[in-house]
């Protein structure tokens, strides 16, 4: 009995001393755990972005349109998480997307042939053929890329640039140089970016 009394005398002061603390609530029978806030992992995020930027710079180092190449990649969130091979494939994908949109634009213009200015219809027909070929070149370059056929990738992408050049020259020769706006030059820049990115990926 004496032992129990001593234990009681020890516990009571301890409880009273903690009575105003949030750490222990005897009356409610609950113990509150302190709130632990996670520390933002800012360092990892910054490192990832920095690495992504460095790889984009490397992928764009061999094109004459470096600023365009970098800006294009950075406009795509997925580019930040890609290695050089991923950036190379993305660059070809972007070129293909642009070619598809341009081909669709040309096809839409040709449907309204009755309202086309003199000379424009024939020029657009030629451009339509050129972009059909360009799309085939991009597809071939993608297949060559996965087969690690470096020279074939370069050949097909360069040929796609020639297709856009031929379209642009045809429009100029027909007296309608602005018929497609800047679509041809944008496609050329995308293909040039792809040449640079694929070249960098083969060197790693």
């Amino acid at each position: 009995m004496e032992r129990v009394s001593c234990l009681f005398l020890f516990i009571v002061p301890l409880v009273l001393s903690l009575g105003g603390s949030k750490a222990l609530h005897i009356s409610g029978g609950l113990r509150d755990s302190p709130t632990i806030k996670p520390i933002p992992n800012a360092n990892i995020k910054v490192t990832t972005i920095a690495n992504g930027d460095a790889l984009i710079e490397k992928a764009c180092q061999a094109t004459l349109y470096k600023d365009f190449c970098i800006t294009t990649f950075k406009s795509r969130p997925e580019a930040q998480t890609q290695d050089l091979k991923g950036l190379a494939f993305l660059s070809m994908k972007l070129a293909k997307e642009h070619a598809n949109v341009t081909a669709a634009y040309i096809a839409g213009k040709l449907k309204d042939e009755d309202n086309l200015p003199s000379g424009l219809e024939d020029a657009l027909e030629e451009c339509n053929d050129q972009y059909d070929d360009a799309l085939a070149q991009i597809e071939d370059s993608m297949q060559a890329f996965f087969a690690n056929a470096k020279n074939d990738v370069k050949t097909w992408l360069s040929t796609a640039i020639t297709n856009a050049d031929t379209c642009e020259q045809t429009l100029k020769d027909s007296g309608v140089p602005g018929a497609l706006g800047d679509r041809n030059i944008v496609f050329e820049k995308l293909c040039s970016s792809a040449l640079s990115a694929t070249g960098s990926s083969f060197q790693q």
Side-chain angles (χ1 to χ4, degrees):
M1 183 70 179
E2 182 178 351
R3 185 177 179 180
V4 173
S5 298
C6 290
L7 183 60
F8 178 78
L9 290 174
F10 172 77
I11 293 176
V12 169
L14 178 63
V15 170
L16 291 175
S17 67
L18 295 173
S21 172
K22 288 186 178 180
L24 185 66
H25 292 283
I26 299 298
S27 61
L30 297 175
R31 183 184 296 273
D32 289 344
S33 299
T35 302
I36 301 176
K37 297 181 179 180
I39 299 174
N41 207 344
N43 288 336
I44 291 179
K45 183 177 181 181
V46 170
T47 301
T48 300
I49 292 176
N51 288 342
D53 286 348
L55 286 175
I56 287 173
E57 287 273 352
K58 188 173 183 179
C60 295
Q61 65 184 353
T63 176
L64 294 174
Y65 311 107
K66 186 174 181 179
D67 289 343
F68 172 88
C69 179
I70 292 173
T71 300
T72 299
F73 274 133
K74 287 187 175 182
S75 70
R76 303 292 289 240
E78 67 268 34
Q80 289 287 352
T81 60
Q82 302 297 318
D83 59 11
L84 283 174
K85 286 189 178 298
L87 290 173
F89 179 74
L90 178 59
S91 66
M92 290 184 287
K93 179 183 175 183
L94 294 176
K96 181 181 176 181
E97 289 176 355
H98 183 82
N100 271 318
V101 171
T102 301
Y105 178 83
I106 294 171
K109 286 287 188 180
L110 287 171
K111 287 181 180 179
D112 194 28
E113 59 184 24
D114 291 339
N115 295 318
L116 292 177
S118 177
L120 180 56
E121 182 179 357
D122 290 342
L124 289 178
E125 288 283 3
E126 177 63 25
C127 286
N128 188 57
D129 291 341
Q130 292 299 326
Y131 270 93
D132 281 346
D133 288 345
L135 282 165
Q137 317 303 346
I138 298 295
E139 289 284 355
D140 287 341
S141 68
M142 287 178 166
Q143 293 179 19
F145 178 73
F146 286 117
N148 291 316
K150 178 181 178 180
N151 290 335
D152 288 344
V153 172
K154 184 176 181 180
T155 296
W156 300 130
L157 287 174
S158 298
T159 303
I161 292 176
T162 300
N163 291 133
D165 279 338
T166 300
C167 170
E168 188 67 19
Q169 189 59 51
T170 299
L171 293 172
K172 290 178 180 178
D173 292 343
S174 301
V176 284
L180 294 182
D182 63 352
R183 290 174 176 81
N184 285 323
I185 186 59
V186 169
F187 181 67
E188 290 180 33
K189 289 180 178 180
L190 288 169
C191 288
S192 177
S193 298
L195 278 168
S196 177
T198 53
S200 294
S201 72
F202 283 124
Q203 292 172 6
Q204 69 175 352

